[in-house]
Amino acid sequence: MRRNLSSFLVLVTSLSAHVANGFEFPDCENGPLADTTVCDTQASPPERAAELVKLMNITEKLSNLVDNSLGAERLGLPSYKWWNEALHGVAGSPGVSFNVSGSPFAYATSFANAITMSAAFDDDLIYDIATVISTEARAFINAGRAGLDFWTPNINPFKDPRWGRGSETPGEDPVRIKGYVKALLAGLEGDQPIRKVIATCKHYAAYDLERWRGITRYDFNAVVSSQDLSEYYLPPFQQCARDSKVGSIMCSYNSLNGTPACASTYLMTDILRNHWGWTEDNNYITSDCNAIQDFLPDHHNFSQTAAQAAAAAYTAGTDTVCEVSGWPPMTDVVGAYNQTLLSEATIDRALRRLYEGLIRAGYFDPAGASTYRFIGWPKVNTPEAQELALRSAAEGIVLLKNDGLLPLRLAGKSVALVGHWATGGRQMRGGYSGIPPYYHTPEYAAQQLNLTYYTANGPVEENTTTTATETWTANALAAAAKADVILYFGGTDQTVSSEDKDRDAIAWPEAQLALTNKLATLSKPLVVIQLGDQVDDTPLLTNKNISAILWAGYPGQSGGTAVLDIITGKTAPAGRLPVTQYPATYTQQVPLTEMALRPTASSPGRTYRWYNASVLPFGHGLHYTSFKASFGALPFPGGGGGSGGSKIPISSLLNAPACKSQKHPDLCPFATLPVHVTNTGTTASDYVALAFVAGEFGPAPYPIKTLAAYARLHGLAAGGATGIAQLRLTLGALARVDEAGNTVLYPGVYTLLLDVTDPPLDVIRFELTGEAVVLDYFPQPQPSGV
């Protein structure tokens, strides 16, 4: 049976709304564990976890190695469901239950999905959103409706537009993802001795294929060079593990260079634990759901029996296995133990890691030990959370085209709301969503503005061969004929691209393009608002009768309001594309299975670093105003830039006191570079400063450019208001990665480019002199590939 986990998650969302999870904290006052070290808050978390595992018998141990852990009634250890989701708000999952009979806990705030939030390039916003999510999660936890761990964020780089789950990620660039992840984890896990919730970075590693031309994520072997692995696929996980010390990581479905990720000691021991030092809190690894079954002959053919598969996973470093009920064989930990394939020492190691994670989240503590235990329903969907949900959408909306129509005064005008999400709300959520308190659709937003409006549905993925029976064109043209302005709400949605469903084409869906072309012939102002993933906008960009294009991604519960706020100018657009918009022909040039990034004779290259023929580039985003922006001076002699610039010895950077105090040289500061920004136009607006580095240093081929730093300035008033964005550049942001995967700071001439315009808004050049220095030695895979 072929699994469809996206369908399963829809079912789970429905079921979790009806059946309370029954989560409970252990009784550390009167229960069997009360007088043990397990409940002694003065003991260290490792001591407490070790004592719990010591108290278990082997039957109890084996029954707690999977995501639906049964607990141990003899010890007063409750059952526990590890599968909880919170990608952009507390979400439907086996461990999370919503109350459909009514308040309380009937809903949770649904923010814009990750790809839209990322487009804001505003890490303070991400931190604030994550703080609200973890607060609402704690409310669910304290009510017995969720567990303490949440399987978020998805941080696999979105390198190919066909990938079905790209909208769950912060985009294609590792620097952007790392900034997003750092802010998100800080908000989710908190800064107290007790973790607010346990976050899980997924999917480790090189996972970006669902189901494409007969190849599935369950059997795909990602062939990745050490250079690409170190430079592109792993930096977000390095941020999670080495720098943010996240509580948990999820290993992925795919194999990496011949070994399933959840059986890879190279990934889980050599890199994750030994190289990145992800051992300080005895952190744990969970598998993706049913990934261990995929070791068997019908997929990876790595193990011949379910017992062998379980033994391979746990021995390699996986600590718990997610299972999806209804798809046997289940994880055979009992068989693995009985056949002496899995040692009790390995079982104990996994359980110590798992329960230490819960201990660090206050699972075995009295309620008074943490203020988190007092968070309740009044903290869910507060007015502040609702405003933040609106910001999460509005800040991430990207203006792709504008012929001067926007912002548009709609007072006194009638509006046609046409398209598949003009009146629908569920489409705005995207994947891994909970139940929101409301859907503020485009229609709702029009009502709040007291507009005269006409609505008509539209197609999604249909093609023009269905025109004999199609039902949308006549209604759409009739609505548009009565209106002064046409707003077309199109693009893709989860029926086109989602978990377990990759795209094969990235052109506008045929029927949608035909409809927009007919609407464009009416000689009325026409604005296209795109939902979902990027499509090739060339036909719309070149159509003079289409006045403007907005990309909204998946804008969440307040998406319609956010869009109308942008269109009317209540909010000025300042988002930037977190991905490259490729031409439709790109899918014919490189298969989805190709993992290499650099261009070759058979591949045009991937992402903005290596591909230079985009329809719209990574970082593209227009404004309603004009800006003048320039770099300040680097803090080195001659640091003012221009064609000359500073000559900086590499040795001086590494010997600086601020670097000497750094454990990891790639995090050593290079400089804080100011960007002076002036709003020279007539509309108040935010501005995102993007700084890229380019140059011919390190191994060839050389990237076109690489994002080095970014920052968002807020509320620059019209008519000359100024602001300064402080861009913090590290040595790692300037470094390259060699063929072995080592991060190296090379001598050479470096050019810093401001923004994605051609030419850039400003340029600074400087030269690093001396010998190349390795900032990070990448662990080398063993010849066996494991």
Side-chain angles (χ1 to χ4, degrees):
M1 178 182 293
R2 294 299 185 192
R3 293 160 288 168
N4 188 326
L5 292 193
S6 56
S7 296
F8 175 76
L9 283 171
V10 170
L11 176 63
V12 162
T13 302
S14 174
L15 292 178
S16 68
H18 293 273
V19 183
N21 179 39
F23 169 81
E24 59 180 308
F25 288 91
D27 184 354
C28 272
E29 294 182 1
N30 303 303
L33 295 173
D35 296 326
T36 69
T37 303
V38 180
C39 289
D40 182 2
T41 58
Q42 300 304 307
S44 70
E47 290 172 330
R48 297 170 71 183
E51 177 67 12
L52 176 64
V53 176
K54 183 178 178 181
L55 292 172
M56 290 180 175
N57 60 41
I58 188 61
T59 301
E60 292 164 338
K61 291 176 181 179
L62 291 171
S63 68
N64 286 282
L65 284 175
V66 295
D67 67 298
N68 191 15
S69 297
L70 299 182
E73 184 177 359
R74 177 181 65 89
L75 299 176
L77 179 67
S79 61
Y80 185 82
K81 294 181 180 179
W82 294 88
W83 189 349
N84 305 273
E85 301 283 359
L87 177 65
H88 55 111
V90 177
S93 43
V96 175
S97 59
F98 289 87
N99 178 17
V100 296
S101 62
S103 185
F105 299 100
Y107 50 78
T109 308
S110 183
F111 298 92
N113 219 311
I115 195 72
T116 302
M117 287 195 288
S118 180
F121 282 84
D122 185 350
D123 290 342
D124 291 338
L125 173 68
I126 300 304
Y127 173 81
D128 290 344
I129 289 168
T131 299
V132 171
I133 291 173
S134 58
T135 295
E136 296 193 0
R138 270 287 177 169
F140 273 74
I141 292 163
N142 294 335
R145 291 184 170 275
L148 284 161
D149 71 292
F150 288 83
W151 292 351
T152 188
N154 180 343
I155 59 171
N156 298 109
F158 189 7
K159 79 171 190 332
D160 191 295
R162 289 165 285 189
W163 182 32
R165 299 185 70 177
S167 61
E168 299 174 26
T169 79
E172 72 180 37
D173 181 73
V175 170
R176 174 66 193 117
I177 300 173
K178 288 175 69 175
Y180 178 102
V181 165
K182 181 179 180 180
L184 188 87
L185 294 182
L188 289 177
E189 297 199 328
D191 59 359
Q192 303 299 312
I194 293 177
R195 273 194 171 102
K196 198 174 181 185
V197 300
I198 305 168
T200 302
C201 291
K202 61 186 186 184
H203 312 80
Y204 186 66
Y207 168 48
D208 58 4
L209 179 145
E210 302 298 303
R211 187 179 299 273
W212 183 77
R213 297 188 180 183
I215 301 169
T216 74
R217 57 184 177 172
Y218 313 119
D219 49 41
F220 177 55
N221 177 35
V223 178
V224 185
S225 69
S226 292
Q227 187 175 42
D228 284 338
L229 191 64
S230 173
E231 179 181 70
Y232 189 72
Y233 295 101
L234 292 189
F237 293 97
Q238 181 192 67
Q239 175 65 51
C240 286
R242 189 193 73 177
D243 302 330
S244 293
K245 305 297 182 185
V246 71
S248 173
I249 283 176
M250 176 184 286
C251 54
S252 58
Y253 287 115
N254 57 280
S255 286
L256 176 68
N257 297 330
T259 301
C262 293
S264 174
T265 57
Y266 177 59
L267 281 176
M268 294 190 286
T269 300
D270 297 353
I271 297 176
L272 184 59
R273 298 191 184 278
N274 293 344
H275 184 57
W276 289 340
W278 194 61
T279 55
E280 292 183 9
D281 291 352
N282 208 19
N283 313 84
Y284 65 87
I285 298 171
T286 180
S287 82
D288 207 338
C289 297
N290 286 2
I292 308 311
Q293 292 186 23
D294 296 335
F295 292 8
L296 298 177
D298 57 343
H299 291 301
H300 292 305
N301 196 26
F302 184 79
S303 304
Q304 297 305 302
T305 68
Q308 291 173 350
Y314 286 102
T315 301
T318 303
D319 300 307
T320 183
V321 172
C322 174
E323 297 181 332
V324 180
S325 59
W327 281 291
M330 306 307 280
T331 309
D332 191 6
V333 291
V334 174
Y337 175 75
N338 288 340
Q339 297 170 40
T340 68
L341 301 172
L342 178 61
S343 70
E344 189 167 6
T346 297
I347 294 168
D348 289 353
R349 180 187 68 183
L351 292 170
R352 285 195 303 269
R353 290 171 175 169
L354 291 167
Y355 283 103
E356 183 176 330
L358 292 180
I359 287 166
R360 290 184 180 276
Y363 187 57
F364 294 95
D365 292 354
S370 170
T371 57
Y372 297 148
R373 292 286 289 274
F374 299 98
I375 296 172
W377 173 243
K379 291 294 185 181
V380 177
N381 195 49
T382 63
E384 293 78 14
Q386 293 174 16
E387 178 61 28
L388 200 58
L390 177 59
R391 276 188 60 202
S392 73
E395 283 200 21
I397 290 174
V398 182
L399 180 61
L400 304 181
K401 174 186 178 180
N402 187 20
D403 66 3
L405 175 72
L406 301 183
L408 180 62
R409 292 184 178 273
L410 291 178
K413 293 184 172 66
S414 58
V415 179
L417 307 176
V418 179
H420 66 84
W421 65 286
T423 61
R426 292 181 63 88
Q427 299 99 316
M428 298 191 302
R429 299 182 311 172
Y432 283 82
S433 300
I435 300 174
Y438 49 72
Y439 293 115
H440 285 176
T441 65
E443 181 181 28
Y444 168 88
Q447 292 169 347
Q448 300 310 298
L449 293 174
N450 293 315
L451 298 179
T452 298
Y453 68 90
Y454 311 95
T455 63
N457 196 9
V460 184
E461 201 176 10
E462 293 88 345
N463 60 53
T464 54
T465 62
T466 63
T467 53
T469 57
E470 63 96 343
T471 59
W472 53 81
T473 300
N475 292 337
L477 292 176
K482 292 183 287 186
D484 299 314
V485 177
I486 306 167
L487 304 181
Y488 178 74
F489 294 89
T492 67
D493 64 13
Q494 293 280 291
T495 66
V496 176
S497 181
S498 62
E499 182 167 7
D500 209 40
K501 185 174 185 179
D502 294 317
R503 290 190 289 174
D504 204 24
I506 58 173
W508 266 90
E510 189 176 321
Q512 290 197 52
L513 188 58
L515 179 56
T516 56
N517 286 337
K518 290 178 181 177
L519 293 171
T521 64
L522 299 180
S523 299
K524 296 185 177 185
L526 171 59
V527 180
V528 174
I529 306 99
Q530 296 177 213
L531 192 77
D533 293 326
Q534 294 298 311
V535 288
D536 181 352
D537 279 329
T538 301
L540 279 63
L541 293 167
T542 56
N543 189 331
K544 295 181 180 180
N545 293 321
I546 294 177
S547 304
I549 306 171
L550 292 169
W551 173 77
Y554 288 103
Q557 69 184 39
S558 295
T561 301
V563 168
L564 266 294
D565 281 353
I566 294 285
I567 288 173
T568 60
K570 181 178 179 180
T571 302
R576 304 296 191 103
L577 286 180
V579 290
T580 299
Q581 187 180 113
Y582 292 90
T585 55
Y586 183 79
T587 61
Q588 302 165 21
Q589 297 175 298
V590 57
L592 181 57
T593 52
E594 175 58 59
M595 303 299 289
L597 279 297
R598 289 159 177 75
T600 64
S602 59
S603 170
R606 293 189 178 277
T607 82
Y608 74 95
R609 296 186 72 233
W610 304 104
Y611 180 79
N612 200 23
S614 63
V615 175
L616 293 171
F618 170 91
H620 174 80
L622 305 178
H623 304 89
Y624 288 163
T625 191
S626 56
F627 291 101
K628 179 181 178 182
S630 61
F631 288 125
L634 287 171
F636 303 104
S643 59
S646 305
K647 291 182 180 293
I648 308 164
I650 291 175
S651 59
S652 70
L653 297 172
L654 292 165
N655 290 326
C659 189
K660 286 290 188 180
S661 62
Q662 269 291 347
K663 182 177 180 181
H664 305 290
D666 58 291
L667 297 180
C668 288
F670 171 68
T672 297
L673 178 62
V675 176
H676 300 274
V677 182
T678 302
N679 185 343
T680 58
T682 59
T683 304
S685 179
D686 292 0
Y687 177 79
V688 173
L690 302 173
F692 298 85
V693 63
E696 295 186 357
F697 46 85
Y702 308 111
I704 300 163
K705 61 184 176 182
T706 301
L707 184 66
Y710 59 86
R712 183 169 180 134
L713 289 174
H714 290 273
L716 290 175
T722 62
I724 301 177
Q726 301 289 352
L727 302 184
R728 293 173 174 83
L729 302 174
T730 63
L731 299 189
L734 304 180
R736 295 283 313 284
V737 173
D738 67 16
E739 290 84 351
N742 303 315
T743 302
V744 184
L745 188 61
Y746 289 97
V749 176
Y750 289 67
T751 302
L752 292 175
L753 312 170
L754 181 57
D755 217 318
V756 297
T757 57
D758 186 15
L761 298 183
D762 199 8
V763 172
I764 282 183
R765 292 184 177 85
F766 59 90
E767 184 177 359
L768 297 186
T769 62
E771 297 296 321
V773 174
V774 177
L775 303 179
D776 183 71
Y777 285 96
F778 190 65
Q780 298 303 296
Q782 300 179 17
S784 62
V786 301

